Amino acid sequence: MARLLIVEDEPRIASFLAKGMTAEGHQTTVAGDGIMALDLAIHGSFDLLILDIGLPGLDGFEVLRRMRDAGSELPVIVLTARDSVADTVTALEGGADDYMSKPFSFAELVARVRLRLRQASSSPPGEEVLTVGEVRLDRRTRRAIAQGKEWDLSAREFVLAEIFMTNAGQVLSREQLLEHVWGYDFDPGSNVVDVYVGYLRKKLGADAIATVRGMGYRFNR
Ligand code: CA
């Protein structure tokens, strides 16, 4: 059983989500405004946050930003009011782990909640600093040390760097990376993996990640 914080100001949707998630065996708490949500996210003890964007008090983006600033690593699935690419990008760059556009299928949300909870509980314990070759990745601060500098990584960059470094020397396909880092199928024609590999190369070094033609990418030992 997981403890879910559901932040949604529309009572009908909030109650639908809470009932559904309770039926799935989770314990749920509902907050209807951003200020209460932020307080609960930082001081409460939850396993996952389902966060609406349009909220009274503070909007979802602000809740996300402030809780990440306060050091919270609570997994967050954002609910965007429409299929808005700008909102999605803002949410993901702001540290959301996943998003769903309204209207969404409850079954799909349940599947994503499961996936996020599984990822959160399976993140490797111990080793707080991963070192491969000249690159160091600090899991506590989500920063990398490479090319003689310290780099801040976005949430996605960090997860991507982590899967590369824990599988250094192995070729990882775009599909494997998409599934691990983004958790579901983007548009199959999406170049999001290539774009993020590009971001990582700038920070970790151009030679850190090799392109293996027709296969994917390999982090060099
Ligand atoms: Ca709303």
Side-chain angles (χ1 to χ4, degrees), residues 60 97 99 114 118 133 211 214:
D97 299 276
Y99 74 94
R114 256 194 224 125
R118 200 167 59 228
T211 302

Side-chain angles (χ1 to χ4, degrees), residues 8-10 52-55 102:
E8 169 61 68
D9 60 321
E10 281 178 56
D52 186 30
I53 291 298
L55 293 170
K102 292 177 179 175

